[in-house]
Amino acid sequence: MNRTQPLVLGIESSCDETGVGIVRGTTLLTNTVSSSMDEHVRFGGVIPEIASRAHLDAFVPTLEQALADAGVALDDVDAIAVTSGPGLAGALMVGVCAAKALAVATGKPLYAINHLVAHVGVGLLDRKGSGQGTGTAPQLPENLGALLVSGGHTEILRINSITDDVQLLGSTIDDAAGEAYDKVARILGLGYPGGPAIDKVARTGNPKSIRFPRGLSQPKYMGTVEEPGKHRYDWSFSGLKTAVARCVEQFEARGEEIPVADIAAAFQEAVVDIISSKAVLACREHGIKDVLLGGGVAANSRLRELTGQRCASAGIRLHVPPLDLCTDNGAMVAALGAQLVMAGVEPSGIRFAPDSSMPVTSVSLPA
Amino acid sequence: MLILAIDTSAVASAALVSSEAPGSVLASFSTEDTRSHAEVLAPGIEEMLAGAGVTGKDIDALVVGVGPGPFTGLRSGIATARTLAFVWGKPLHGLVSLDAMALEVAESAAAVPEFLVATDARRKEVYWARYSLAEGRLPVLEDGPHVSFAADLPDLPAFGAGAGLYADALNAHPDFAQEQPDALYLGKFALARLVAGNALLDSTPLYLRESDAQVPGPRKRAL
Ligand SMILES: [Zn+2]
């Protein structure tokens, strides 16, 4: 196996995006994605069975497209990488079975990779022909933090080594932030996906008109630096969603018009405030000076703005990858796979099971 | 003609069948387990190919059982078969998974002119189909596949684990009360049809049930 500039094909199917990405070392060759998002619109959220059916039909065409875009043949590939978790069990299963079949048919080594750590892997990618190529391969800053916010997850990670030392500092204990956006968008009649819809409407609203609760911010959860509470860096969004529903009901009960823009703005402010404040707190208390933003909610203008401000005042550099690399995709899986190959990590083989709750301490599965 | 057959409609199984092999079967494997397809299928296929000294180049076509069967398990076989066929550049055909058991019945001493094949559809239902059988012919699918409660099936001899599970409601044949569709018979069925110049299905899964997703109704107003 070429371990210096390996050609790696990455497969992602943990939620509603079927992704195939190809990288050579740290150079991105293609990031091909087929999304089933449109099929979930009428349900107001991702339906796992619909996503799984779509993965099955999208995989081979997406693979074919990716190979064509990158101008490579399967024969040239050094290794295959696939998301083995965390994610929706039935959705993961499709990508994992396809990846294993690819490994059997080509005889190439297969790496079973952690989806969350893969989100960080995009920080190591150079775009082909982007003009940014400096001749030196991109490297992650030491002691890097990663704030991942999407419809499926909300986490703050500390990356000591992307190939073998990743730590979970905090995460949501119930809904993911993006899920809260979807549910609140439904309450407000704004459609799916909720993130962009709320972000847009919120711009015309007054975020201070209503004060929504910030989950897990009370002293009993926070504790102190010396004696941290159980949920010092954790989030909770289910109470916030309920508070929005109550608020809407109160306007209705009084027979008043619902101030949709104000509620959207106040909700968004509550989400973004608690995400950014806890993330910055976790970084400060762990000596983290660089933080990478990942996940689909990175597209949210207010999240980028407020996190950027707070990071800047705390002396932390915020790195935001291009948006198409923040959302779920195969390139991030390939990027992490390439790092594992270059670090000399052994492949996972083809006997592993997908793990819908794979912990971040497991960057790739052992053989 | 050499065919790689895969079925994961119930258990995970694969087989190499060839018109040149005695009894048509070159190699086969199957698991008892109905819930670990993603783990066992690829290693099983790899070992089977290596054991038979067969590579992708030697294979003329692939055939996959398109169900009906529990969705996640069913997809693991179809995803595997589609990917192998794509990489090897070989044609992929589909066959109703219940056809495999119909052929197994036809080749057994229990064969009758008209019968049902039933597998477990969970949720107290069975996947089933009705077949007819004439001497020296392949079984013919007359009706189905469907998903129904066992009590609603026609009154005919019933074969397969779905019949065994509801032996009180069905005329279940004891020798087949635990039988599941197997790629070995699926492959033999496909081989016989392809050699005779008959077409097969494509690899579109037969889910027979919609996803359970509910379109959310309008929010209740607080009044
Ligand atoms: Zn993700």
Side-chain angles (χ1 to χ4, degrees):
Chain A
M1 197 188 335
N2 171 4
R3 287 206 185 256
T4 51
Q5 286 288 301
L7 186 66
V8 178
L9 183 142
I11 297 165
E12 155 63 29
S13 75
S14 68
C15 191
D16 62 342
E17 323 275 359
T18 313
V20 178
I22 301 175
V23 306
R24 189 185 300 279
T26 54
T27 305
L28 175 65
L29 302 185
T30 184
N31 179 24
T32 309
V33 178
S34 161
S35 176
S36 62
M37 189 200 281
D38 292 349
E39 295 176 55
H40 305 284
V41 168
R42 65 197 182 103
F43 302 105
V46 173
I47 305 298
E49 175 58 23
I50 292 176
S52 303
R53 291 183 183 190
H55 284 307
L56 178 65
D57 289 335
F59 177 70
V60 169
T62 308
L63 171 65
E64 205 168 4
Q65 183 70 50
L67 291 168
D69 288 350
V72 302
L74 275 172
D75 263 356
D76 307 328
V77 168
D78 290 298
I80 301 158
V82 64
T83 298
S84 58
L88 303 169
L92 287 168
M93 199 77 84
V94 178
V96 164
C97 286
K100 287 183 175 186
L102 206 51
V104 169
T106 60
K108 308 287 183 182
L110 176 62
Y111 289 82
I113 275 183
N114 188 301
H115 175 88
L116 299 177
V117 183
H119 269 299
V120 185
V122 297
L124 283 160
L125 281 181
D126 246 348
R127 274 192 188 235
K128 186 175 62 170
S130 66
Q132 296 167 350
T134 52
T136 52
Q139 280 189 321
L140 290 179
E142 269 179 49
N143 196 17
L144 174 72
L147 175 61
L148 309 178
V149 191
S150 80
H153 37 80
T154 308
E155 289 93 11
I156 176 92
L157 314 182
R158 177 195 206 171
I159 293 93
N160 299 312
S161 156
I162 194 168
T163 54
D164 62 9
D165 190 358
V166 178
Q167 190 187 347
L168 183 70
L169 299 180
S171 68
T172 178
I173 60 163
D174 41 54
D175 293 349
E179 223 176 331
Y181 267 93
D182 289 340
K183 289 174 177 172
V184 165
R186 244 194 77 206
I187 294 170
L188 296 176
L190 295 175
Y192 174 86
I198 287 179
D199 198 14
K200 184 161 169 246
V201 173
R203 279 178 211 151
T204 63
N206 175 8
K208 296 203 168 71
S209 59
I210 304 157
R211 168 99 191 161
F212 286 123
R214 271 63 168 163
L216 302 180
S217 61
Q218 300 93 319
K220 63 174 171 176
Y221 298 120
M222 296 297 292
T224 60
V225 187
E226 294 76 32
E227 281 183 65
K230 190 159 172 267
H231 295 300
R232 189 168 179 79
Y233 311 126
D234 289 337
W235 294 279
S236 164
F237 298 105
S238 75
L240 172 59
K241 171 202 67 193
T242 310
V244 172
R246 289 286 109 59
C247 172
V248 168
E249 284 163 14
Q250 280 163 13
F251 279 102
E252 282 175 345
R254 292 195 296 266
E256 292 173 27
E257 196 185 323
I258 298 163
V260 170
D262 287 347
I263 294 175
F267 160 78
Q268 169 145 297
E269 200 57 23
V271 173
V272 166
D273 177 30
I274 194 71
I275 289 180
S276 57
S277 62
K278 285 208 175 198
V280 168
L281 183 72
C283 290
R284 279 212 330 259
E285 293 179 2
H286 287 84
I288 291 169
K289 290 287 173 205
D290 292 87
V291 65
L292 181 131
L293 191 60
V297 184
N300 187 282
S301 62
R302 183 63 185 146
L303 178 68
R304 285 209 307 266
E305 182 183 38
L306 190 60
T307 310
Q309 281 168 12
R310 286 180 171 167
C311 281
S313 2
I316 298 165
R317 284 175 294 269
L318 179 68
H319 307 267
V320 187
L323 205 60
D324 60 333
L325 292 175
C326 283
T327 49
D328 292 347
N329 65 81
M332 68 189 210
V333 181
L336 178 54
Q339 292 296 319
L340 292 166
V341 172
M342 291 187 282
V345 174
E346 287 307 303
S348 310
I350 58 170
R351 290 179 188 278
F352 66 89
D355 178 0
S356 56
S357 54
M358 187 173 179
V360 295
T361 45
S362 174
V363 176
S364 69
L365 295 177
Chain B
M1 177 179 273
L2 178 62
I3 292 178
L4 171 61
I6 297 170
D7 188 87
T8 55
S9 66
V11 300
S13 62
L16 283 167
V17 296
S18 161
S19 41
E20 271 101 73
S24 302
V25 182
L26 213 60
S28 72
F29 92 92
S30 73
T31 60
E32 305 285 302
D33 194 342
T34 55
R35 292 182 190 264
S36 58
H37 300 346
E39 285 117 284
V40 301
L41 184 62
I45 291 173
E46 190 178 58
E47 281 160 26
M48 184 180 72
L49 292 173
V54 165
T55 69
K57 283 194 195 75
D58 307 321
I59 288 165
D60 296 300
L62 290 89
V63 59
V64 66
V66 295
F71 305 154
T72 299
L74 181 62
R75 273 190 291 268
S76 56
I78 298 175
T80 301
R82 285 184 181 177
T83 307
L84 292 173
F86 168 73
V87 178
W88 290 335
K90 305 292 175 163
L92 170 64
H93 306 283
L95 210 56
V96 177
S97 297
L98 302 176
D99 286 357
M101 202 160 1
L103 181 64
E104 188 179 354
V105 171
E107 290 190 356
S108 77
V112 284
E114 196 177 13
F115 62 94
L116 307 179
V117 169
T119 58
D120 183 12
R122 300 177 186 166
R123 300 184 209 174
K124 303 199 162 86
E125 290 185 306
V126 293
Y127 295 120
W128 67 279
R130 180 165 60 86
Y131 290 86
S132 66
L133 186 62
E135 185 66 40
R137 294 282 186 89
L138 287 172
V140 176
L141 176 66
E142 299 286 353
D143 183 20
H146 302 290
V147 59
S148 322
F149 293 110
D152 299 336
L153 269 51
D155 185 19
L156 285 167
F159 295 81
L165 208 53
Y166 301 100
D168 51 338
L170 292 170
N171 180 7
H173 195 287
D175 293 352
F176 282 77
Q178 267 136 47
E179 281 299 297
Q180 302 280 21
D182 195 299
L184 192 154
Y185 288 96
L186 193 84
K188 284 168 70 163
F189 204 125
L191 182 67
R193 288 196 58 114
L194 289 175
V195 166
N198 292 317
L200 300 174
L201 304 172
D202 65 20
S203 66
T204 305
L206 297 173
Y207 290 121
L208 303 194
R209 284 178 180 141
E210 288 300 309
S211 71
D212 284 331
Q214 300 280 322
V215 176
R219 193 173 46 81
K220 283 207 303 265
R221 295 181 69 90
L223 274 177

